[in-house]
Amino acid sequence: MKLELKNNNLILTDVDSFSLRETFECGQAFRFYREEDGSYTPIHRGRVINLKETPDGVIVKNTDMDEFKEVWWDYFDFSTDYGAIKKHLSVDPIMEEAISYGEGIRILKQDYFETLISFIVSANNQIPRIKKIIEEMSKKYGRRIEVKEDVAGSDRDFYSFPNPEELSLSTADELREELRVGFRAERIWEVANKVRTGVFDINSLAGMTYEEGKEALMTLNGVGPKVANCVLLFGYSKTTAFPVDVWVKRIMEDLYFKKETPNKIIEDFGKEKFGDLSGYAQQYLFYYARER
DNA sequence: TGCCAGGGGTTCA
DNA sequence: TGAACCCCTGGC
């Protein structure tokens, strides 16, 4: 993976294991738009860029070399060798097949607080509605982001995801009535305020082991095993996490267990089998389950 | 048009 | 272990 400036365009070349579609559509992120020209527009840490795949590489708009290196390089996990990970996981023939469907998946490193709230919203919910709620939440409580460069001809406004202070200005009633989050309203408000006041130290999880982090997260109302695993994987890059959602459950039962199996058994089996690469394996399986 | 199931789970009994 | 949960969408 190389970053170059060509004809006044920022462009990623020697692209290795990176597909925009596979990376954004594998269920880990909610804050992106797929544009009509096939390009993608993610929002992260109060910034917006647009990425478009071309035969010459991936063209990146609305950023510069410094910002890309500082903010986006890490977000896309470009320092990790996915070729080695895929090779390792492919000793399992089932995984080899799953990986062939999503060779270009990368696990994003997203903001802790945003990831936490987003996956609380995701509980017993569907992706289009989750995306809509997160977008409305950002619009109402976040800040508007100035876009310098034309982003794929789009004229929409962009908003940063609210920080704990901003989201704490809400009330549970407001979240329920205006954002239509239903029974998740109290959970969201409560967690936002626990983070704001420091009752829950969200940064400290980065220095914890996977097990410690999971235990800490699950003390929060609205965070069960699935949500905790997602937050640890997509926020804190704890790749021993193996989130079991309905899709992973389905495909694991189909391919490995050959019968109905409790989520806990599936999660333990995945962690045992894939070890430090569990999170990657889970993403390949999730994408495979939805695409096959 | 109207009813019903089900959805990237979690909680409470 | 099992039902309820806000709300929305798609299928009949």
Side-chain angles (χ1 to χ4, degrees):
Chain A
M1 202 75 69
K2 277 199 290 199
L3 187 62
E4 303 175 40
L5 204 55
K6 266 188 194 167
N7 307 324
N8 219 22
N9 267 331
L10 204 56
I11 183 164
L12 283 162
T13 56
D14 291 354
V15 176
D16 170 50
S17 303
F18 181 47
S19 151
L20 293 172
R21 179 179 139 77
E22 290 166 13
T23 295
F24 285 114
E25 313 278 1
C26 66
Q28 59 179 324
F30 304 105
R31 303 228 63 210
F32 65 87
Y33 301 91
R34 182 185 161 82
E35 309 293 359
E36 284 190 5
D37 66 354
S39 67
Y40 280 82
T41 308
I43 308 171
H44 171 62
R45 295 194 191 284
R47 296 174 176 86
V48 178
I49 57 172
N50 176 265
L51 306 105
K52 187 173 169 62
E53 287 162 350
T54 75
D56 299 329
V58 180
I59 296 176
V60 191
K61 288 187 177 172
N62 200 48
T63 186
D64 55 46
M65 187 76 87
D66 288 343
E67 185 195 84
F68 194 90
K69 281 181 183 166
E70 195 188 317
V71 177
W72 297 98
W73 187 272
D74 205 36
Y75 170 76
F76 285 115
D77 198 21
F78 283 152
S79 295
T80 298
D81 181 358
Y82 279 70
I85 290 164
K86 287 185 281 188
K87 194 177 165 190
H88 219 90
L89 287 173
S90 291
V91 298
D92 180 299
I94 295 174
M95 275 308 304
E96 187 178 21
E97 168 80 1
I99 290 169
S100 73
Y101 277 73
E103 296 268 4
I105 290 174
R106 279 180 177 267
I107 298 188
L108 301 171
K109 292 180 192 285
Q110 302 177 70
D111 178 75
Y112 302 151
F113 183 64
E114 174 171 345
T115 308
L116 176 55
I117 297 296
S118 296
F119 280 93
I120 289 173
V121 171
S122 82
N124 192 226
N125 213 338
Q126 28 213 6
I127 293 175
R129 195 177 152 220
I130 299 165
K131 287 182 77 165
K132 189 163 173 254
I133 289 171
I134 305 295
E135 188 176 2
E136 291 297 313
M137 191 177 281
S138 303
K139 199 168 186 173
K140 186 159 174 60
Y141 302 104
R143 278 160 294 130
R144 187 161 178 275
I145 301 170
E146 292 295 328
V147 177
K148 296 184 285 287
E149 204 172 337
D150 175 52
V151 176
S154 143
D155 58 353
R156 75 173 80 80
D157 286 336
F158 297 94
Y159 295 85
S160 64
F161 189 83
N163 62 33
E165 288 73 26
E166 290 164 342
L167 191 53
S168 294
L169 295 175
S170 68
T171 62
D173 283 342
E174 211 172 76
L175 294 169
R176 187 171 34 241
E177 286 158 21
E178 294 184 32
L179 303 186
R180 319 296 294 166
V181 298
F183 60 81
R184 305 166 193 83
E186 284 78 12
R187 302 172 178 178
I188 295 166
W189 186 87
E190 198 179 299
V191 169
N193 277 274
K194 278 189 174 175
V195 175
R196 176 183 63 83
T197 55
V199 169
F200 186 81
D201 183 357
I202 197 165
N203 291 317
S204 69
L205 273 73
M208 292 184 188
T209 63
Y210 160 75
E211 287 79 9
E212 291 166 344
K214 190 177 179 190
E215 198 183 334
L217 282 168
M218 286 181 63
T219 64
L220 296 172
N221 195 12
V223 181
K226 154 67 167 66
V227 171
N229 277 319
C230 285
V231 175
L232 289 166
L233 182 57
F234 306 133
Y236 295 91
S237 308
K238 307 282 188 198
T239 58
T240 43
F242 192 78
V244 179
D245 56 53
V246 289
W247 293 96
V248 170
K249 181 179 170 68
R250 248 172 240 164
I251 199 152
M252 291 291 286
E253 286 173 345
D254 189 18
L255 300 179
Y256 288 96
F257 294 96
K258 313 287 185 194
K259 61 174 181 182
E260 209 182 318
T261 310
N263 287 16
K264 172 88 176 101
I265 305 288
I266 298 175
E267 186 186 335
D268 291 344
F269 175 87
K271 283 191 289 210
E272 176 68 26
K273 187 170 181 60
F274 304 117
D276 285 343
L277 304 181
S278 295
Y280 303 101
Q282 189 269 2
Q283 281 306 89
Y284 293 124
L285 288 166
F286 177 87
Y287 194 77
Y288 179 47
R290 295 188 55 126
E291 294 290 317
R292 67 175 174 158

